[in-house]
Amino acid sequence: MHRRLFLRLSVAAAASAAAPLKARAAVPTPYSFDAWPPMDNAAAYVRWMQEQRGEDPRYLRARFERFLNMVGNRDVWEARNKRAFLLTPREEFCLPASRAVIYDVNYHDIGFGVTITGPRVVARMTSSVDVKMGEKVLEIGTGSGYQSAYLSNLTDKVWSIEIIKPLAERTRGRYDGLIERGYGEYRVINTKQADGYHGWEEAAPFDKIVVTCGIDHIPPPLLQQLKTGGMMVIPVGPPGAQHILKVVKEEGPDSQITVKRSDIYNGRPVPFVPFTKLEGETVKGTHNKR
């Protein structure tokens, strides 16, 4: 992306974010997985999104510019993932103070000591596991809600776990509010407050698992709940220097289960918030072994 253009868009969005928020209008057109926004022209995209989704053009322009940057950087490369990014209003999943810059590459504070992951990282992680329609996907770390909102544009079966109770409640309320406004895709998101290390056993097995918090090993319960042939993307490594691994669970010729790992950033570390754990009803410490 051209830095001057992005800064100009950010200034425009800042003016919008600073002003008192008006009552949000309902989405004009019911959601359909068959609806595709224009991807080759900013003006056509903004016009289509205003007509079909009723969204603010100032954020739409910033979203489209970030989209072009991500395509050029190979953070998103498949048509359905491109569509999912363009249809997900990231500005709805952050604190008001961050709306002006929510499409930049940074992580932003959402309260409770956690952040919303940068759009390029979200897109690359999601694209790497290639979610298909109808696949069951588990997200560990609901956080702001943005990742599951993105996933709901790829499949109609999404489960998400958040360990911090007030954050889980706030994000569930955000989904429900957006559903009332017409974002019908978010009806497919199932949420609960729990320790994500143990997965969601009653809903397992899952075709894909997306972990949005860092840990120094792959949790065995998540591997167990991943289907044979399934994929997981997870930040693994020491605090602040994780490597985002794509993990593929396979069955060998002798019926032995094997796990293949690859680094989606080819060795470049990416920091994530820690994979915390519950002791009773209190979030205390992490699941790191070291």
Side-chain angles (χ1 to χ4, degrees):
M1 179 190 302
H2 295 295
R3 178 173 174 79
R4 289 182 180 176
L5 178 57
F6 187 78
L7 288 174
R8 189 164 64 248
L9 294 170
S10 295
V11 169
S16 174
L21 289 176
K22 298 179 181 178
R24 304 295 179 90
V27 175
T29 305
Y31 183 80
S32 170
F33 279 102
D34 295 324
W36 286 69
M39 298 184 184
D40 58 354
N41 180 275
Y45 167 73
V46 170
R47 182 169 58 252
W48 189 93
M49 289 292 291
Q50 286 184 277
E51 293 172 353
Q52 301 295 318
R53 308 285 279 175
E55 294 182 12
D56 189 324
R58 287 167 288 193
Y59 296 118
L60 291 171
R61 294 184 189 104
R63 193 185 310 166
F64 194 81
E65 289 301 323
R66 176 54 60 197
F67 165 73
L68 294 179
N69 172 268
M70 295 194 311
V71 171
N73 199 55
R74 292 287 295 168
D75 294 308
V76 59
W77 53 86
E78 185 269 336
R80 294 182 68 250
N81 272 275
K82 293 177 180 178
R83 171 187 178 276
F85 176 81
L86 288 171
L87 286 177
T88 307
R90 184 172 167 86
E91 63 276 8
E92 298 285 356
F93 298 96
C94 65
L95 298 179
S98 298
R99 287 196 183 106
V101 290
I102 199 58
Y103 287 101
D104 68 15
V105 298
N106 297 318
Y107 291 42
H108 296 283
D109 173 53
I110 59 169
F112 307 101
V114 295
T115 59
I116 179 173
T117 305
R120 286 173 50 171
V121 175
V122 173
R124 184 173 291 213
M125 290 178 71
T126 311
S127 296
S128 295
V129 293
D130 191 23
V131 175
K132 305 295 187 184
M133 171 56 74
E135 289 186 330
K136 293 177 67 174
V137 183
L138 173 65
E139 178 197 15
I140 304 300
T142 311
S144 69
Y146 177 68
Q147 172 71 79
S148 284
Y150 188 124
L151 289 167
S152 73
N153 284 288
L154 294 169
T155 182
D156 57 354
K157 297 178 177 65
V158 181
W159 283 259
S160 186
I161 302 172
E162 172 55 50
I163 195 170
I164 302 171
K165 186 175 182 179
L167 178 57
E169 293 171 345
R170 187 182 78 186
T171 300
R172 182 68 255 177
R174 184 159 296 167
Y175 285 142
D176 292 341
L178 287 165
I179 289 168
E180 289 181 4
R181 282 171 47 198
Y183 287 86
E185 62 270 37
Y186 302 155
R187 295 182 187 277
V188 309
I189 303 172
N190 304 280
T191 60
K192 74 172 180 177
Q193 185 262 327
D195 189 329
Y197 189 88
H198 308 292
W200 199 322
E201 188 173 4
E202 59 269 34
F206 298 97
D207 298 283
K208 308 289 166 64
I209 298 177
V210 178
V211 181
T212 63
C213 40
I215 190 169
D216 62 6
H217 64 283
I218 299 172
L222 298 184
L223 270 180
Q224 292 167 6
Q225 293 174 30
L226 186 65
K227 284 184 180 179
T228 302
M231 289 183 275
M232 180 193 315
V233 63
I234 177 172
V236 177
Q242 292 89 9
H243 293 268
I244 305 179
L245 302 185
K246 175 181 175 181
V247 178
V248 183
K249 183 177 178 180
E250 298 181 341
E251 182 176 349
D254 55 357
S255 298
Q256 293 294 311
I257 298 298
T258 62
V259 176
K260 293 185 177 179
R261 300 170 176 84
S262 59
D263 187 327
I264 71 170
Y265 277 101
N266 299 312
R268 177 160 62 89
V270 181
F272 273 78
V273 296
F275 201 133
T276 51
K277 65 179 178 180
L278 278 178
E279 290 189 5
E281 295 186 358
T282 303
V283 178
K284 187 175 181 180
T286 74
H287 281 287
N288 284 338
K289 291 183 176 180
R290 295 184 294 276

